[in-house]
Amino acid sequence: MPRGQKSKLRAREKRHQARCENQDLGATQATVAEGESPSSAYLLFGDRPQNLPAAETPSIPEALQGAPSTTNAIAPVSCSSNEGASSQDEKSLGSSREAEGWKENPLNKKVVSLVHFLLQKYETKEPITKGDMIKFVIRKDKCHFNEILKRASEHMELALGVDLKEVDPIRHYYAFFSKLDLTYNETTSDEEKIPKTGLLMIALGVIFLNGNRAPEEAVWEIMNMMGVYADRKHFLYGDPRKVMTKDLVQLKYLEYQQVPNSDPPRYEFLWGPRAHAETSKMKVLEFVAKMHDTVPSAFPSCYEEALRDEEQRTQARAAARAHTAAMANARSRTTSSSFSHAK
């Protein structure tokens, strides 16, 4: 290709890129101006994507359909919040208007469609590529790809407890990663792990915000708000009661025990040893804060407790490293001494 044509082609590409960046910025500003709350975990899904056959789209219960809600999913009991509260009628009216506005935004419709698409890829265990996301979902709105992907990823994080990360920056392949640091060898299968992680992170948040032990009825009250019921099979979590009271307990993520001296018997949930090992109070509080579209410091008492926990963990890691180094030095001296005597 002649040099002049190459220069024109590069100039055209730069103009197109600048146009996309400006459109992305405008879309983001419009989203903020409308006061949307795209980071609610429990009201993610809208209509079925146009490009996916109905038979291949995951069945989504009514409680998970519609626009993000301003309702607090995890209501703190022991941890106070700095956020002001208005009357219930005002909240309902505001949420209704917000939901209508949310649905009308074309960018939000793409976010919903991409969440559907990612759920389908998760269920079928198929690779996730940028090309497929643009081809089947984003299409002519590819200038907004980064913004749509960012918001869809946030929804997946809050609903399933997973991060969507680019694993191949050359071919633009993406994969899901659990928010837990898997330190134990006896992990579950991928099919079980991702949905349970989402349910677990929610449960851990309820427990932490209720003073590190949560009555069973308080946990299920929050789950019910999210369309998860103890006596109904869930399209992601299967049998929620079994997952909460047996599976996660057997895996030592949760403890499920009778409240002392309760008559009739009542039960409560606590963090299990594996939860303490694979996550932290700060990580869980960050997860809760994201569900409320706020920051961890909005829950002062819990935030202070999480900071203390982080400091203790740092000290424990430092002590463990010092112990390991001392043991290594001792072995080295013993080996050197044995070698000298052998001579």
Side-chain angles (χ1 to χ4, degrees), residues 17-39:
Q17 182 179 358
R19 212 163 34 240
C20 286
E21 290 173 353
N22 290 334
Q23 289 176 8
D24 267 338
L25 178 60
T28 303
Q29 291 172 338
T31 297
V32 174
E34 289 172 12
E36 296 168 0
S37 301
S39 57

Side-chain angles (χ1 to χ4, degrees), residues 292-304:
H292 286 259
D293 197 20
T294 186
V295 293
S297 58
F299 307 95
S301 57
C302 278
Y303 185 62
E304 292 175 4

Side-chain angles (χ1 to χ4, degrees), residues 160-323:
L160 298 181
V162 296
D163 291 320
L164 182 66
K165 297 181 180 180
E166 189 175 31
V167 294
D168 185 341
I170 305 299
R171 296 183 295 173
H172 299 292
Y173 275 77
Y174 293 79
F176 290 117
F177 292 88
S178 170
K179 294 189 72 66
L180 297 175
D181 298 324
L182 298 176
T183 57
Y184 282 52
N185 291 326
E186 61 274 15
T187 58
T188 58
S189 67
D190 288 340
E191 184 175 354
E192 295 175 329
K193 184 169 59 183
I194 290 180
K196 287 182 180 178
T197 301
L199 204 62
L200 174 63
M201 291 296 288
I202 296 165
L204 294 178
V206 177
I207 294 168
F208 182 32
L209 268 67
N210 278 272
N212 296 308
R213 56 197 322 125
E216 181 178 18
E217 55 269 23
V219 174
W220 286 115
E221 180 181 357
I222 301 304
M223 297 296 180
N224 291 352
M225 291 170 59
M226 300 176 61
V228 180
Y229 300 90
D231 56 350
R232 298 185 195 172
K233 187 173 181 179
H234 192 271
F235 82 109
L236 279 177
Y237 307 129
D239 182 344
R241 178 178 292 280
K242 178 176 178 293
V243 171
M244 290 289 295
T245 62
K246 293 184 179 179
D247 296 348
L248 293 174
V249 172
Q250 290 174 356
L251 290 168
K252 302 187 184 300
Y253 282 118
L254 294 176
E255 293 181 2
Y256 179 66
Q257 62 186 31
Q258 183 176 338
V259 176
N261 304 318
S262 60
D263 186 22
R266 291 183 294 107
Y267 292 85
E268 62 183 0
F269 287 99
L270 294 83
W271 283 32
R274 191 167 176 179
H276 284 286
E278 296 183 8
T279 190
S280 68
K281 291 180 179 180
M282 185 59 76
K283 288 182 180 178
V284 170
L285 187 59
E286 289 171 351
F287 182 87
V288 171
K290 187 169 286 189
M291 293 185 73
H292 286 259
D293 197 20
T294 186
V295 293
S297 58
F299 307 95
S301 57
C302 278
Y303 185 62
E304 292 175 4
E305 182 177 347
L307 286 175
R308 290 194 298 270
D309 180 64
E310 288 295 300
E311 183 177 355
Q312 293 170 1
R313 287 172 179 269
T314 300
Q315 293 174 352
R317 286 193 294 268
R321 285 195 296 268
H323 177 73

Side-chain angles (χ1 to χ4, degrees), residues 49-62:
Q50 298 176 356
N51 302 301
L52 300 180
E56 297 180 7
T57 305
S59 174
I60 298 173
E62 291 181 2

